[in-house]
Amino acid sequence: MHLAREFMLLLGLGFFVAGLTTYIMTWILVAVHLRDHHPAERARLGGFMFSPRAFGWYLARRYRALRDKSLTGLARLGAIGAWAIVLGALSAFAAKATGGFGP
């Protein structure tokens, strides 16, 4: 059982880091695209990438409502990253809840 908790912890941290990397890299591209093509949506989301509104925008796939194929292509990667952050954090917390961090 100890091995399964450690695996769940490492898997969660791996998902978290990979998702965070993807999210940060795509947010910059999406923010520039929104600034140039959809300024009202950019103003509604705000400038901070980890604001609840921007993070929820990715998780709920609200970028599809803009019907911009270029934006959808970029934002889909950010949504995958956002979900990887959520799933990685949940996995790490589940490992902690089952006693995975202590001696």
Coordinates of all heavy atoms in Angstrom, one line a residue:
M1 N 0.8 -1.2 0.0 CA 0.0 0.0 0.0 C 0.9 1.3 0.0 O 0.5 2.2 -0.6 CB -0.9 0.0 1.2 CG -1.9 1.0 1.2 SD -3.0 0.9 -0.2 CE -4.5 1.5 0.4
H2 N 2.0 1.2 0.7 CA 2.9 2.3 0.7 C 3.4 2.7 -0.7 O 3.5 3.9 -1.0 CB 4.1 2.0 1.7 CG 5.0 3.1 1.8 ND1 4.7 4.3 2.5 CD2 6.3 3.3 1.5 CE1 5.7 5.1 2.5 NE2 6.7 4.5 1.9
L3 N 3.7 1.7 -1.5 CA 4.1 2.0 -2.9 C 3.1 2.6 -3.7 O 3.3 3.5 -4.5 CB 4.6 0.6 -3.5 CG 5.3 0.7 -4.8 CD1 6.5 1.5 -4.7 CD2 5.6 -0.7 -5.3
A4 N 1.8 2.2 -3.5 CA 0.7 2.8 -4.2 C 0.5 4.3 -3.9 O 0.3 5.1 -4.7 CB -0.6 2.1 -4.0
R5 N 0.7 4.6 -2.6 CA 0.6 6.1 -2.2 C 1.7 6.9 -2.8 O 1.5 8.0 -3.2 CB 0.6 6.2 -0.6 CG -0.7 5.7 0.0 CD -0.6 6.1 1.5 NE 0.5 5.5 2.1 CZ 0.5 4.6 3.1 NH1 -0.7 4.1 3.5 NH2 1.6 4.1 3.6
E6 N 2.9 6.3 -2.8 CA 4.1 7.1 -3.4 C 3.8 7.3 -4.9 O 4.1 8.3 -5.4 CB 5.4 6.4 -3.1 CG 5.8 6.5 -1.7 CD 7.1 5.8 -1.4 OE1 7.8 5.3 -2.4 OE2 7.5 5.6 -0.3
F7 N 3.4 6.3 -5.5 CA 3.1 6.4 -7.0 C 2.0 7.4 -7.2 O 2.1 8.2 -8.1 CB 2.6 5.0 -7.5 CG 2.3 5.1 -9.0 CD1 3.3 5.2 -9.9 CD2 1.0 5.1 -9.4 CE1 3.0 5.3 -11.3 CE2 0.6 5.1 -10.7 CZ 1.6 5.2 -11.7
M8 N 1.0 7.4 -6.4 CA -0.1 8.4 -6.6 C 0.4 9.8 -6.3 O 0.1 10.8 -7.0 CB -1.3 8.2 -5.6 CG -2.5 9.0 -5.9 SD -4.0 8.7 -5.0 CE -3.6 7.6 -3.7
L9 N 1.3 10.0 -5.4 CA 1.9 11.3 -5.1 C 2.8 11.7 -6.3 O 2.7 12.9 -6.8 CB 2.8 11.2 -3.8 CG 3.6 12.5 -3.5 CD1 2.7 13.7 -3.3 CD2 4.5 12.2 -2.3
L10 N 3.7 10.9 -6.8 CA 4.5 11.2 -7.9 C 3.7 11.5 -9.2 O 4.0 12.4 -9.9 CB 5.6 10.1 -8.1 CG 6.7 10.0 -7.1 CD1 7.5 8.9 -7.3 CD2 7.5 11.3 -7.0
L11 N 2.7 10.7 -9.4 CA 1.8 10.9 -10.5 C 1.1 12.3 -10.4 O 1.1 13.0 -11.4 CB 0.8 9.8 -10.6 CG -0.1 9.8 -11.8 CD1 0.6 9.5 -13.1 CD2 -1.3 8.9 -11.6
G12 N 0.6 12.6 -9.3 CA 0.0 13.8 -9.1 C 0.9 15.0 -9.2 O 0.5 16.0 -9.9
L13 N 2.1 14.9 -8.7 CA 3.0 16.0 -8.9 C 3.5 16.2 -10.3 O 3.7 17.3 -10.8 CB 4.3 15.8 -7.9 CG 4.0 15.9 -6.4 CD1 5.2 15.6 -5.6 CD2 3.4 17.3 -6.1
G14 N 3.6 15.0 -11.0 CA 4.0 15.1 -12.4 C 2.9 15.8 -13.2 O 3.2 16.6 -14.1
F15 N 1.7 15.4 -13.0 CA 0.5 16.0 -13.7 C 0.5 17.5 -13.4 O 0.2 18.3 -14.2 CB -0.8 15.4 -13.3 CG -1.2 14.3 -14.3 CD1 -0.8 13.0 -14.1 CD2 -2.1 14.6 -15.3 CE1 -1.2 12.0 -15.0 CE2 -2.5 13.6 -16.2 CZ -2.1 12.4 -16.0
F16 N 0.7 17.8 -12.1 CA 0.6 19.2 -11.7 C 1.7 20.1 -12.4 O 1.4 21.1 -13.0 CB 0.8 19.3 -10.2 CG 0.6 20.7 -9.7 CD1 -0.7 21.2 -9.4 CD2 1.7 21.6 -9.4 CE1 -0.9 22.5 -8.9 CE2 1.5 22.8 -9.0 CZ 0.2 23.3 -8.7
V17 N 2.9 19.6 -12.4 CA 4.0 20.4 -13.0 C 3.8 20.4 -14.6 O 4.0 21.5 -15.2 CB 5.4 19.7 -12.7 CG1 6.5 20.4 -13.5 CG2 5.6 19.9 -11.2
A18 N 3.4 19.4 -15.2 CA 3.2 19.4 -16.6 C 2.0 20.3 -17.0 O 2.1 21.1 -18.0 CB 2.9 18.0 -17.1
G19 N 1.0 20.2 -16.2 CA -0.2 21.1 -16.5 C 0.2 22.6 -16.2 O -0.2 23.4 -17.0
L20 N 0.9 22.9 -15.2 CA 1.3 24.2 -14.9 C 2.2 24.8 -16.0 O 2.0 25.9 -16.5 CB 2.1 24.3 -13.6 CG 2.5 25.7 -13.1 CD1 1.2 26.5 -12.8 CD2 3.3 25.5 -11.8
T21 N 3.1 24.0 -16.5 CA 4.0 24.4 -17.6 C 3.1 24.7 -18.9 O 3.3 25.8 -19.5 CB 5.0 23.3 -17.9 OG1 5.8 23.1 -16.8 CG2 5.9 23.8 -19.1
T22 N 2.2 23.8 -19.2 CA 1.4 24.0 -20.4 C 0.5 25.2 -20.2 O 0.3 26.0 -21.1 CB 0.5 22.7 -20.6 OG1 1.4 21.6 -20.7 CG2 -0.3 22.9 -21.8
Y23 N -0.1 25.4 -19.0 CA -1.0 26.5 -18.8 C -0.3 27.8 -18.9 O -0.8 28.7 -19.6 CB -1.6 26.3 -17.4 CG -2.6 27.4 -17.0 CD1 -3.9 27.3 -17.5 CD2 -2.3 28.4 -16.2 CE1 -4.9 28.2 -17.2 CE2 -3.3 29.4 -15.9 CZ -4.5 29.3 -16.4 OH -5.5 30.2 -16.1
I24 N 0.9 27.9 -18.4 CA 1.6 29.2 -18.4 C 2.0 29.5 -19.8 O 1.9 30.7 -20.3 CB 2.9 29.2 -17.5 CG1 2.4 29.2 -16.0 CG2 3.8 30.3 -17.7 CD1 3.5 28.9 -15.0
M25 N 2.5 28.5 -20.5 CA 3.0 28.8 -21.9 C 1.8 29.2 -22.8 O 1.9 30.1 -23.7 CB 3.7 27.6 -22.5 CG 5.1 27.4 -21.8 SD 6.0 25.9 -22.2 CE 5.5 25.5 -23.9
T26 N 0.7 28.5 -22.7 CA -0.4 28.9 -23.6 C -1.2 30.1 -23.1 O -1.7 30.8 -24.0 CB -1.4 27.7 -23.7 OG1 -1.9 27.4 -22.4 CG2 -0.8 26.5 -24.3
W27 N -1.1 30.4 -21.9 CA -1.8 31.7 -21.4 C -1.3 32.9 -22.1 O -2.0 33.8 -22.5 CB -1.8 31.8 -19.9 CG -2.3 33.2 -19.5 CD1 -1.6 34.3 -19.1 CD2 -3.7 33.6 -19.5 NE1 -2.4 35.3 -18.9 CE2 -3.7 34.9 -19.1 CE3 -4.9 33.0 -19.8 CZ2 -4.9 35.7 -19.0 CZ3 -6.0 33.7 -19.7 CH2 -6.0 35.0 -19.3
I28 N 0.0 32.9 -22.2 CA 0.7 34.1 -22.9 C 0.2 34.2 -24.3 O -0.2 35.3 -24.8 CB 2.2 33.9 -22.8 CG1 2.7 34.0 -21.4 CG2 2.9 35.0 -23.6 CD1 4.1 33.5 -21.2
L29 N 0.2 33.1 -25.0 CA -0.3 33.1 -26.4 C -1.8 33.5 -26.5 O -2.2 34.3 -27.4 CB 0.0 31.8 -27.1 CG 1.4 31.4 -27.2 CD1 1.5 29.9 -27.6 CD2 2.2 32.3 -28.1
V30 N -2.6 32.9 -25.6 CA -4.0 33.2 -25.6 C -4.3 34.7 -25.3 O -5.2 35.3 -25.9 CB -4.8 32.2 -24.7 CG1 -6.2 32.7 -24.5 CG2 -4.8 30.8 -25.3
A31 N -3.6 35.2 -24.3 CA -3.8 36.6 -23.9 C -3.5 37.5 -25.0 O -4.2 38.5 -25.2 CB -2.9 36.9 -22.7
V32 N -2.4 37.3 -25.8 CA -2.1 38.1 -26.9 C -3.2 38.0 -28.0 O -3.6 39.0 -28.6 CB -0.7 37.8 -27.5 CG1 -0.4 38.5 -28.8 CG2 0.4 38.1 -26.5
H33 N -3.6 36.8 -28.3 CA -4.7 36.6 -29.3 C -6.0 37.3 -28.8 O -6.6 38.0 -29.7 CB -4.9 35.1 -29.5 CG -5.9 34.8 -30.6 ND1 -5.5 34.7 -31.9 CD2 -7.2 34.7 -30.6 CE1 -6.5 34.5 -32.7 NE2 -7.6 34.5 -31.9
L34 N -6.3 37.2 -27.6 CA -7.5 37.9 -27.1 C -7.3 39.4 -27.2 O -8.3 40.1 -27.5 CB -7.8 37.5 -25.6 CG -8.4 36.1 -25.4 CD1 -8.5 35.8 -24.0 CD2 -9.7 35.9 -26.1
R35 N -6.2 39.9 -26.8 CA -5.9 41.3 -26.9 C -6.1 41.8 -28.3 O -6.7 42.9 -28.6 CB -4.5 41.6 -26.4 CG -4.2 43.1 -26.4 CD -2.7 43.4 -26.3 NE -2.0 42.9 -27.5 CZ -0.7 42.6 -27.5 NH1 0.0 42.7 -26.5 NH2 -0.2 42.1 -28.7
D36 N -5.6 41.1 -29.3 CA -5.7 41.5 -30.7 C -7.0 41.3 -31.4 O -7.4 42.1 -32.2 CB -4.6 40.8 -31.5 CG -3.2 41.2 -31.1 OD1 -3.0 42.2 -30.4 OD2 -2.2 40.4 -31.4
H37 N -7.7 40.2 -31.0 CA -8.9 39.9 -31.7 C -10.2 40.0 -30.9 O -11.3 40.1 -31.5 CB -8.8 38.4 -32.3 CG -7.7 38.3 -33.2 ND1 -7.7 38.7 -34.5 CD2 -6.4 37.7 -33.1 CE1 -6.6 38.5 -35.1 NE2 -5.8 37.9 -34.3
H38 N -10.1 39.8 -29.6 CA -11.3 39.8 -28.8 C -11.1 40.7 -27.5 O -11.0 40.1 -26.4 CB -11.7 38.4 -28.4 CG -11.8 37.5 -29.5 ND1 -13.0 37.5 -30.3 CD2 -11.0 36.5 -30.0 CE1 -12.8 36.5 -31.3 NE2 -11.6 36.0 -31.1
P39 N -10.9 42.0 -27.7 CA -10.6 42.8 -26.5 C -11.6 42.8 -25.4 O -11.3 42.9 -24.2 CB -10.4 44.2 -27.1 CG -11.0 44.2 -28.4 CD -11.0 42.8 -28.9
A40 N -12.9 42.7 -25.7 CA -13.9 42.7 -24.7 C -13.8 41.4 -23.8 O -13.9 41.5 -22.6 CB -15.3 42.7 -25.3
E41 N -13.5 40.3 -24.4 CA -13.3 39.1 -23.6 C -12.1 39.1 -22.8 O -12.0 38.7 -21.6 CB -13.2 37.9 -24.6 CG -13.2 36.5 -23.9 CD -14.5 36.1 -23.3 OE1 -15.5 36.8 -23.5 OE2 -14.5 35.1 -22.5
R42 N -11.0 39.7 -23.3 CA -9.8 39.9 -22.6 C -10.0 40.8 -21.4 O -9.5 40.5 -20.3 CB -8.7 40.5 -23.5 CG -7.4 40.9 -22.8 CD -6.6 39.7 -22.6 NE -5.2 40.1 -22.2 CZ -4.7 39.9 -21.0 NH1 -5.4 39.3 -20.1 NH2 -3.5 40.3 -20.7
A43 N -10.7 41.9 -21.5 CA -11.0 42.8 -20.4 C -11.9 42.1 -19.4 O -11.7 42.3 -18.2 CB -11.7 44.0 -20.9
R44 N -12.8 41.2 -19.8 CA -13.7 40.5 -18.9 C -12.9 39.5 -18.0 O -13.1 39.3 -16.9 CB -14.8 39.7 -19.6 CG -15.9 39.2 -18.8 CD -16.9 38.4 -19.6 NE -16.4 37.2 -20.1 CZ -16.3 36.1 -19.4 NH1 -16.5 36.1 -18.1 NH2 -15.8 35.0 -20.0
L45 N -11.9 38.8 -18.7 CA -11.1 37.9 -17.9 C -10.1 38.5 -17.0 O -9.7 37.9 -16.0 CB -10.3 37.0 -18.9 CG -11.2 36.0 -19.7 CD1 -10.3 35.2 -20.7 CD2 -11.8 35.0 -18.8
G46 N -9.6 39.7 -17.3 CA -8.6 40.3 -16.5 C -7.2 39.9 -17.0 O -7.0 39.1 -17.9
G47 N -6.2 40.4 -16.3 CA -4.8 40.2 -16.8 C -4.1 39.1 -16.1 O -3.0 38.7 -16.5
F48 N -4.6 38.7 -15.0 CA -3.8 37.7 -14.2 C -4.2 36.3 -14.6 O -5.4 35.9 -14.6 CB -4.0 37.9 -12.7 CG -3.2 37.0 -11.8 CD1 -1.8 37.0 -11.9 CD2 -3.8 36.1 -10.9 CE1 -1.1 36.2 -11.1 CE2 -3.0 35.3 -10.1 CZ -1.7 35.3 -10.2
M49 N -3.2 35.4 -14.9 CA -3.5 34.1 -15.5 C -4.2 33.1 -14.5 O -4.8 32.2 -14.8 CB -2.3 33.5 -16.1 CG -1.2 33.1 -15.1 SD 0.2 32.2 -15.9 CE 1.0 33.6 -16.5
F50 N -3.9 33.4 -13.2 CA -4.5 32.4 -12.2 C -5.7 33.0 -11.5 O -6.0 32.5 -10.4 CB -3.4 32.0 -11.2 CG -2.4 31.1 -11.8 CD1 -1.1 31.5 -12.1 CD2 -2.7 29.8 -12.2 CE1 -0.2 30.7 -12.7 CE2 -1.8 29.0 -12.7 CZ -0.6 29.4 -13.0
S51 N -6.3 34.0 -12.1 CA -7.5 34.5 -11.5 C -8.6 33.4 -11.6 O -8.6 32.7 -12.6 CB -8.0 35.8 -12.1 OG -8.4 35.6 -13.5
P52 N -9.5 33.3 -10.7 CA -10.5 32.3 -10.8 C -11.3 32.4 -12.1 O -11.7 31.4 -12.6 CB -11.4 32.6 -9.5 CG -10.5 33.2 -8.6 CD -9.6 34.1 -9.4
R53 N -11.6 33.6 -12.5 CA -12.3 33.8 -13.8 C -11.6 33.2 -15.0 O -12.2 32.5 -15.8 CB -12.6 35.3 -14.0 CG -13.5 35.5 -15.2 CD -13.9 37.0 -15.3 NE -14.9 37.2 -14.2 CZ -15.4 38.4 -13.9 NH1 -15.0 39.4 -14.5 NH2 -16.3 38.5 -13.0
A54 N -10.3 33.5 -15.1 CA -9.5 33.0 -16.2 C -9.3 31.5 -16.1 O -9.5 30.8 -17.1 CB -8.1 33.7 -16.3
F55 N -9.1 31.0 -14.9 CA -8.9 29.5 -14.8 C -10.2 28.8 -15.1 O -10.2 27.8 -15.8 CB -8.4 29.2 -13.4 CG -7.7 27.9 -13.2 CD1 -6.5 27.7 -13.8 CD2 -8.3 26.9 -12.5 CE1 -5.9 26.5 -13.6 CE2 -7.7 25.7 -12.4 CZ -6.5 25.5 -12.9
G56 N -11.3 29.3 -14.6 CA -12.6 28.7 -14.9 C -13.0 28.8 -16.4 O -13.7 28.0 -16.9
W57 N -12.5 29.9 -17.0 CA -12.7 30.1 -18.5 C -12.2 28.9 -19.2 O -12.8 28.4 -20.2 CB -12.1 31.4 -18.9 CG -12.4 31.8 -20.3 CD1 -13.5 32.3 -20.8 CD2 -11.4 31.8 -21.4 NE1 -13.3 32.7 -22.2 CE2 -12.0 32.3 -22.5 CE3 -10.1 31.4 -21.5 CZ2 -11.4 32.4 -23.7 CZ3 -9.4 31.5 -22.7 CH2 -10.1 32.0 -23.8
Y58 N -11.0 28.5 -18.8 CA -10.3 27.3 -19.4 C -11.1 26.0 -19.1 O -11.3 25.2 -19.9 CB -8.9 27.1 -19.0 CG -7.9 28.0 -19.8 CD1 -7.3 29.0 -19.2 CD2 -7.6 27.6 -21.1 CE1 -6.3 29.8 -19.9 CE2 -6.7 28.4 -21.8 CZ -6.1 29.4 -21.2 OH -5.2 30.1 -22.0
L59 N -11.3 25.8 -17.8 CA -11.9 24.6 -17.3 C -13.3 24.3 -18.0 O -13.7 23.2 -18.3 CB -12.1 24.5 -15.8 CG -10.7 24.5 -15.0 CD1 -11.0 24.5 -13.5 CD2 -10.0 23.2 -15.4
A60 N -14.1 25.4 -18.1 CA -15.4 25.3 -18.7 C -15.5 25.4 -20.2 O -16.5 25.3 -20.8 CB -16.3 26.4 -18.1
R61 N -14.3 25.6 -20.8 CA -14.2 25.7 -22.3 C -15.0 26.8 -22.8 O -15.6 26.7 -23.9 CB -14.5 24.4 -22.9 CG -13.5 23.3 -22.5 CD -13.8 21.9 -23.1 NE -14.8 21.8 -24.1 CZ -15.1 20.7 -24.7 NH1 -14.6 19.6 -24.3 NH2 -16.1 20.7 -25.6
R62 N -15.0 27.9 -22.1 CA -15.8 29.1 -22.6 C -15.2 29.8 -23.8 O -15.9 30.6 -24.5 CB -16.0 30.1 -21.5 CG -16.9 29.6 -20.4 CD -17.2 30.7 -19.4 NE -17.9 30.1 -18.3 CZ -17.4 29.9 -17.1 NH1 -16.2 30.4 -16.8 NH2 -18.0 29.4 -16.1
Y63 N -14.0 29.4 -24.2 CA -13.4 30.0 -25.4 C -14.1 29.6 -26.6 O -14.0 30.2 -27.7 CB -11.9 29.6 -25.4 CG -11.6 28.1 -25.3 CD1 -11.7 27.3 -26.4 CD2 -11.3 27.6 -24.1 CE1 -11.5 25.9 -26.3 CE2 -11.1 26.2 -24.0 CZ -11.2 25.4 -25.1 OH -10.9 24.1 -24.9
R64 N -14.8 28.5 -26.6 CA -15.5 28.0 -27.8 C -16.7 28.9 -28.2 O -17.0 28.9 -29.3 CB -16.1 26.6 -27.5 CG -15.0 25.6 -27.3 CD -15.4 24.1 -27.2 NE -16.6 24.0 -26.4 CZ -17.5 23.1 -26.5 NH1 -17.4 22.1 -27.4 NH2 -18.5 23.0 -25.7
A65 N -17.2 29.7 -27.2 CA -18.3 30.6 -27.6 C -17.9 31.7 -28.5 O -18.7 32.3 -29.2 CB -18.9 31.2 -26.3
L66 N -16.6 32.0 -28.6 CA -16.1 33.1 -29.4 C -16.0 32.6 -30.9 O -15.9 33.4 -31.8 CB -14.7 33.5 -29.0 CG -14.7 34.2 -27.6 CD1 -13.3 34.5 -27.1 CD2 -15.6 35.4 -27.5
R67 N -16.1 31.3 -31.2 CA -16.1 30.7 -32.5 C -14.9 31.2 -33.3 O -15.0 31.6 -34.5 CB -17.4 31.0 -33.2 CG -18.6 30.4 -32.6 CD -19.8 30.5 -33.4 NE -21.0 30.1 -32.7 CZ -21.3 28.8 -32.6 NH1 -20.6 27.9 -33.1 NH2 -22.4 28.5 -32.0
D68 N -13.7 31.2 -32.7 CA -12.5 31.5 -33.4 C -11.6 30.3 -33.4 O -11.1 29.8 -32.3 CB -11.8 32.7 -32.6 CG -10.5 33.2 -33.2 OD1 -10.0 32.5 -34.0 OD2 -10.1 34.3 -32.8
K69 N -11.4 29.7 -34.6 CA -10.6 28.5 -34.7 C -9.2 28.6 -34.2 O -8.7 27.7 -33.6 CB -10.6 28.0 -36.1 CG -12.0 27.5 -36.5 CD -11.9 26.9 -37.9 CE -13.3 26.4 -38.3 NZ -13.3 25.8 -39.7
S70 N -8.6 29.7 -34.4 CA -7.2 29.9 -33.9 C -7.1 30.0 -32.4 O -6.3 29.4 -31.8 CB -6.6 31.2 -34.5 OG -6.6 31.2 -35.9
L71 N -8.1 30.7 -31.8 CA -8.1 30.7 -30.4 C -8.5 29.4 -29.8 O -7.9 29.0 -28.8 CB -9.2 31.8 -29.9 CG -9.4 31.9 -28.4 CD1 -8.1 32.4 -27.8 CD2 -10.6 32.8 -28.1
T72 N -9.4 28.7 -30.4 CA -9.7 27.3 -29.9 C -8.5 26.4 -29.9 O -8.3 25.6 -29.0 CB -10.9 26.7 -30.7 OG1 -12.0 27.6 -30.6 CG2 -11.3 25.4 -30.2
G73 N -7.7 26.5 -30.9 CA -6.5 25.6 -31.0 C -5.5 25.9 -29.9 O -5.0 25.0 -29.3
L74 N -5.4 27.2 -29.6 CA -4.5 27.6 -28.5 C -5.1 27.3 -27.1 O -4.4 26.7 -26.3 CB -4.1 29.1 -28.6 CG -3.3 29.6 -29.7 CD1 -3.3 31.1 -29.8 CD2 -1.9 29.0 -29.6
A75 N -6.3 27.6 -27.0 CA -6.9 27.5 -25.7 C -7.2 26.1 -25.3 O -7.2 25.7 -24.1 CB -8.2 28.3 -25.6
R76 N -7.3 25.2 -26.2 CA -7.6 23.8 -25.9 C -6.3 23.2 -25.2 O -6.5 22.4 -24.2 CB -7.8 23.0 -27.2 CG -8.1 21.5 -26.9 CD -8.4 20.8 -28.2 NE -9.7 21.2 -28.7 CZ -9.9 21.5 -30.0 NH1 -8.9 21.3 -30.9 NH2 -11.1 21.9 -30.4
L77 N -5.2 23.6 -25.6 CA -3.9 23.2 -24.9 C -3.9 23.7 -23.4 O -3.5 23.0 -22.5 CB -2.7 23.6 -25.6 CG -2.5 23.0 -27.0 CD1 -1.4 23.6 -27.7 CD2 -2.3 21.5 -26.9
G78 N -4.3 25.0 -23.3 CA -4.4 25.6 -21.9 C -5.4 24.9 -21.1 O -5.2 24.7 -19.9
A79 N -6.5 24.5 -21.7 CA -7.6 23.7 -20.9 C -7.1 22.4 -20.5 O -7.3 21.9 -19.3 CB -8.8 23.6 -21.8
I80 N -6.3 21.7 -21.3 CA -5.7 20.4 -20.9 C -4.7 20.7 -19.8 O -4.7 19.9 -18.8 CB -5.0 19.8 -22.1 CG1 -6.0 19.3 -23.2 CG2 -4.1 18.6 -21.7 CD1 -5.4 18.9 -24.5
G81 N -4.0 21.7 -19.8 CA -3.1 22.1 -18.7 C -3.8 22.4 -17.5 O -3.4 22.0 -16.4
A82 N -4.9 23.1 -17.6 CA -5.7 23.5 -16.4 C -6.3 22.2 -15.7 O -6.2 22.1 -14.5 CB -6.8 24.5 -16.8
W83 N -6.8 21.3 -16.5 CA -7.3 20.1 -16.0 C -6.2 19.2 -15.4 O -6.4 18.5 -14.4 CB -8.1 19.3 -17.0 CG -9.5 19.8 -17.1 CD1 -10.0 20.6 -18.1 CD2 -10.5 19.7 -16.1 NE1 -11.3 20.9 -17.8 CE2 -11.7 20.3 -16.6 CE3 -10.6 19.0 -14.9 CZ2 -12.9 20.4 -15.9 CZ3 -11.8 19.1 -14.2 CH2 -12.9 19.8 -14.7
A84 N -5.0 19.2 -16.0 CA -3.9 18.5 -15.4 C -3.5 19.1 -14.0 O -3.1 18.3 -13.1 CB -2.7 18.5 -16.4
I85 N -3.6 20.4 -13.9 CA -3.3 21.0 -12.6 C -4.3 20.5 -11.6 O -3.9 20.1 -10.5 CB -3.3 22.6 -12.7 CG1 -2.2 23.1 -13.5 CG2 -3.4 23.2 -11.3 CD1 -2.2 24.5 -13.9
V86 N -5.6 20.5 -11.9 CA -6.6 20.1 -11.0 C -6.5 18.7 -10.6 O -6.5 18.3 -9.4 CB -8.0 20.4 -11.6 CG1 -9.1 19.8 -10.8 CG2 -8.3 21.9 -11.7
L87 N -6.3 17.8 -11.6 CA -6.2 16.4 -11.4 C -4.9 16.0 -10.6 O -4.9 15.1 -9.7 CB -6.2 15.6 -12.7 CG -7.6 15.6 -13.4 CD1 -7.5 14.9 -14.7 CD2 -8.7 15.1 -12.5
G88 N -3.8 16.7 -10.9 CA -2.6 16.5 -10.2 C -2.7 16.9 -8.7 O -2.2 16.2 -7.8
A89 N -3.3 18.0 -8.5 CA -3.5 18.5 -7.1 C -4.4 17.5 -6.3 O -4.1 17.2 -5.2 CB -4.1 19.9 -7.1
L90 N -5.5 17.1 -7.0 CA -6.4 16.1 -6.3 C -5.6 14.8 -6.0 O -5.8 14.2 -4.9 CB -7.6 15.8 -7.2 CG -8.6 17.0 -7.3 CD1 -9.7 16.6 -8.3 CD2 -9.2 17.3 -5.9
S91 N -4.8 14.3 -6.9 CA -4.1 13.1 -6.7 C -3.1 13.3 -5.5 O -2.9 12.4 -4.7 CB -3.3 12.7 -8.0 OG -2.6 11.5 -7.7
A92 N -2.4 14.4 -5.5 CA -1.4 14.7 -4.4 C -2.2 14.8 -3.1 O -1.7 14.2 -2.0 CB -0.6 15.9 -4.7
F93 N -3.3 15.4 -3.0 CA -4.1 15.5 -1.8 C -4.6 14.2 -1.4 O -4.7 13.9 -0.2 CB -5.2 16.5 -1.9 CG -4.7 18.0 -2.0 CD1 -5.3 18.9 -2.9 CD2 -3.8 18.4 -1.1 CE1 -4.8 20.2 -2.9 CE2 -3.4 19.7 -1.1 CZ -3.9 20.6 -2.0
A94 N -5.0 13.3 -2.4 CA -5.5 12.0 -2.0 C -4.4 11.2 -1.4 O -4.6 10.4 -0.5 CB -6.0 11.3 -3.3
A95 N -3.1 11.3 -2.0 CA -2.0 10.6 -1.4 C -1.8 11.1 0.0 O -1.4 10.3 0.9 CB -0.8 10.9 -2.2
K96 N -1.9 12.4 0.3 CA -1.7 12.9 1.6 C -2.8 12.4 2.6 O -2.6 12.0 3.7 CB -1.8 14.4 1.6 CG -1.8 15.1 2.9 CD -0.6 14.9 3.7 CE -0.6 15.7 5.0 NZ 0.3 15.1 6.0
A97 N -4.0 12.3 2.1 CA -5.2 11.9 2.9 C -5.0 10.4 3.3 O -5.5 10.0 4.3 CB -6.5 12.1 2.2
T98 N -4.3 9.6 2.5 CA -4.1 8.2 2.8 C -2.8 8.0 3.5 O -2.4 6.8 3.7 CB -4.2 7.3 1.5 OG1 -3.1 7.8 0.6 CG2 -5.5 7.4 0.8
G99 N -2.1 9.0 3.9 CA -0.9 8.9 4.7 C 0.3 8.8 3.9 O 1.3 8.2 4.3
G100 N 0.3 9.5 2.7 CA 1.5 9.3 1.8 C 2.7 10.3 2.0 O 3.7 10.0 1.4
F101 N 2.6 11.3 2.9 CA 3.7 12.2 3.0 C 4.5 12.0 4.2 O 5.6 12.5 4.3 CB 3.2 13.7 3.1 CG 2.6 14.2 1.8 CD1 1.4 14.7 1.7 CD2 3.4 14.1 0.7 CE1 0.9 15.2 0.6 CE2 2.9 14.6 -0.5 CZ 1.7 15.2 -0.6
G102 N 4.1 11.3 5.2 CA 4.8 11.1 6.5 C 5.5 9.8 6.6 O 5.5 9.0 5.7
P103 N 6.3 9.7 7.7 CA 7.1 8.4 7.9 C 6.1 7.3 8.3 O 5.0 7.5 8.7 CB 8.0 8.8 9.0 CG 7.6 10.1 9.6 CD 6.6 10.7 8.6

